[in-house]
């Protein structure tokens, strides 16, 4: 289905931009998805495949002329002097950046509540989190402010907020999309991807942003097999423990639906499953401790006044600039990398990572796609009534597998229960994104997309 026509002229004149802003601001009072919202009024009608279509960008991805805060006091007020390759490719296709969206500080979290700059809520129910770390991007799409937004996924940060907000979220194959312009958290695990209101938008955006980039040496040429099995074999995982009732029901319902849609469904085991969270947090924090060392108060952002020597300056900047979650992770990463102890933590985690890759490679000999929950529960509540930071980390067990293995995964909506949307994800071998899109399109025909109360398309007509 092609919704782009209804989006392509929303910013074509000052009064259209006014009604755009009215709708967006109405939502923003309740959900706070943007850190910066300033839609352009293009001087001449844009051209290209995505001409005139508005989109939003997570605030850890650079767009020239916009802020680049990463949700951190460390970088509050920083303007980006350059544009990420993925954003530039979308702009060249005619799409228009309308603003920068909120996130967990430096992408560290699962709720967007670790942002030091704003609070984002779920458009379905503002007592719930939007998920994270790309919570602002997902909330803005679910509310109908933009048809798609860019996010980043290091361990689930695109798929989990997409699931919490009832939309689509694609984490591409590692290296398929250039990371140039993405502020690094854990470079070997992460990439830029997209949250979208439809499979059609997710696919089109992915086609535009992917491909090798001389500015990112880990980017690769996109070479899919070109074969998409018409009747895919779908693996469902045996004996998944700890799911909430509604996610368990959604998982079973999807497996039944898949059979009805002509897929060949079989039960599979993931042998390495118990090790993914410790391996992920060892590698992610180790890389974070190295990547975040550049924020020292000298080159970028926050610079404390009145310090007497460089040591005080660096200490003061980090102390005041970073929030607790970021500090915790830098300390953990420094701990796992400390001299004499690498064998015990970092090297072991890398060995587990290899075992996970091998496990999945074997599995993809027997099935074409793997179906998993995204998160053990639907969106949880803000604050004390929700999940603790430690519980959130344990709950990353379904998402981090794809990051450790470098394979693509797409979360898709599966209806709602008690006013909160439900989402599941499909995983495929590297470069087989098209398999994910096709399967999600089949599910979409059977499960109608639901919108949060207050969602409207009228202002677009
Ligand atoms: N919840 C995960 C974490 O906190 C995911 C983060 C991400 O993908 N950026 O690390």
């Amino acid at each position: 289905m092609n919704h782009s026509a209804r989006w392509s002229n929303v910013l074509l004149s000052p009064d259209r931009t006014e009604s755009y802003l009215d709708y967006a601001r109405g939502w923003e009072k309740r959900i706070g998805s943007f850190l910066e919202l300033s839609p352009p009024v293009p001087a001449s009608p844009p051209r290209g495949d995505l001409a005139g279509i508005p989109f939003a960008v997570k605030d850890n991805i650079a767009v020239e002329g916009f802020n680049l805060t990463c949700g951190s006091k460390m970088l509050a007020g920083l303007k980006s002097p350059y544009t990420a390759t993925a954003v530039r490719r979308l702009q060249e296709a005619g799409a228009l950046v309308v603003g920068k969206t909120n996130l967990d500080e430096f992408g560290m979290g699962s709720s967007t509540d670790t942002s030091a700059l704003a609070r984002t809520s779920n458009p379905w129910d503002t007592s719930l989190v939007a998920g994270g770390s790309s919570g602002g991007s997902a909330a803005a799409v679910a509310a109908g402010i933009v048809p798609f937004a860019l996010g980043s996924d290091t361990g689930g940060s695109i798929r989990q907020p997409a699931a919490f907000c009832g939309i689509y979220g694609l984490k591409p194959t590692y290296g398929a999309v250039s990371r140039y312009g993405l502020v690094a958290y854990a470079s070997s695990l992460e990439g830029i991807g997209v949250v979208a209101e439809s499979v059609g938008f997710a696919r089109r955006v992915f086609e535009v942003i992917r491909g090798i980039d001389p500015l990112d040496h880990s980017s690769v040429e996109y070479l899919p097999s070109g074969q998409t099995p018409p009747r895919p074999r779908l693996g469902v995982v045996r004996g998944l423990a700890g799911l909430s009732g509604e996610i368990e029901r959604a998982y079973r319902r999807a497996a039944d639906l898949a059979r009805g849609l002509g897929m060949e469904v079989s039960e599979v085991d993931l042998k390495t499953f118990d090790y993914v969270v410790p391996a992920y947090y060892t590698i992610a924090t180790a890389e974070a401790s190295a990547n975040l060392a550049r924020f020292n108060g000298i080159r970028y952002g926050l610079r404390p006044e009145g310090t007497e020597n460089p040591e005080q300056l660096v200490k003061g900047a980090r102390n005041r600039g970073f929030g607790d979650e970021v500090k915790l992770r830098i300390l953990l990463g420094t701990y796992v990398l400390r001299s004499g102890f690498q064998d015990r933590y970092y090297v072991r985690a890398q060995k587990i990572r290899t075992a996970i890759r091998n496990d999945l490679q074997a599995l993809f000999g027997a099935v074409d796609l793997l179906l998993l929950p995204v998160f053990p529960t639907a969106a949880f509540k803000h604050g004390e009534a929700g999940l603790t930071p430690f519980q959130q980390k344990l709950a990353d067990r379904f998402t981090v597998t794809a990051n450790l293995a470098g394979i693509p995964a797409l979360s898709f909506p599966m209806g709602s229960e008690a006013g909160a949307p439900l989402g599941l994800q499909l995983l495929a071998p590297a470069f087989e994104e098209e398999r994910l899109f096709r399967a999600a399109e089949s599910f979409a025909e059977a499960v109608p997309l639901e919108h949060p109360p207050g969602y409207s398309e009228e202002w677009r007509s």
Side-chain angles (χ1 to χ4, degrees), residues 87-288:
V87 173
R88 186 178 47 74
R89 288 183 178 173
L90 288 166
Q91 290 173 327
E92 282 166 5
L96 304 167
V97 177
V98 296
K100 304 295 299 287
T101 52
N102 199 14
L103 67 156
D104 282 302
E105 189 174 357
F106 288 101
M108 298 176 180
S110 303
S111 62
T112 307
D113 283 352
T114 77
S115 170
L117 304 181
R119 175 173 154 128
T120 298
S121 294
N122 194 308
W124 289 69
D125 173 348
T126 53
S127 72
L128 303 175
V129 300
S133 63
S134 315
S137 286
V141 171
I145 301 172
V146 281
F148 72 88
L150 293 183
S152 62
D153 193 310
T154 310
S157 280
I158 285 176
R159 291 161 286 156
Q160 188 259 23
F164 278 17
C165 294
I167 56 168
Y168 295 88
L170 173 72
K171 173 238 172 282
T173 303
Y174 184 76
V177 178
S178 169
R179 282 185 294 114
Y180 179 72
L182 168 66
V183 178
Y185 155 22
S187 319
S188 80
L189 296 163
E190 67 204 0
I192 292 177
V194 56
V195 288
E197 65 173 21
S198 66
V199 181
F201 265 117
R203 181 195 272 119
R204 280 176 74 188
V205 170
F206 178 58
E207 284 166 1
V208 170
I209 64 178
R210 75 190 180 202
I212 200 157
D213 175 15
L215 297 171
D216 171 7
H217 63 196
S218 67
S219 69
V220 292
E221 202 168 335
Y222 194 72
L223 293 170
S225 71
Q227 288 155 8
T228 312
R231 196 163 173 265
R233 297 165 300 169
L234 178 74
V236 297
V237 181
R238 213 184 312 264
L240 287 177
L243 300 181
S244 70
E246 64 274 13
I247 297 296
E248 194 166 346
R249 282 188 287 280
Y251 195 60
R252 264 192 267 126
R253 195 151 54 89
D256 290 342
L257 254 177
R259 280 188 206 93
L261 292 166
M263 299 185 204
E264 206 179 287
V265 179
S266 57
E267 286 202 329
V268 297
D269 293 302
L270 267 181
K271 292 193 285 296
T272 45
F273 193 60
D274 291 343
Y275 307 103
V276 294
V277 168
Y280 169 78
Y281 275 98
T282 304
I283 295 168
T285 57
E287 293 185 15

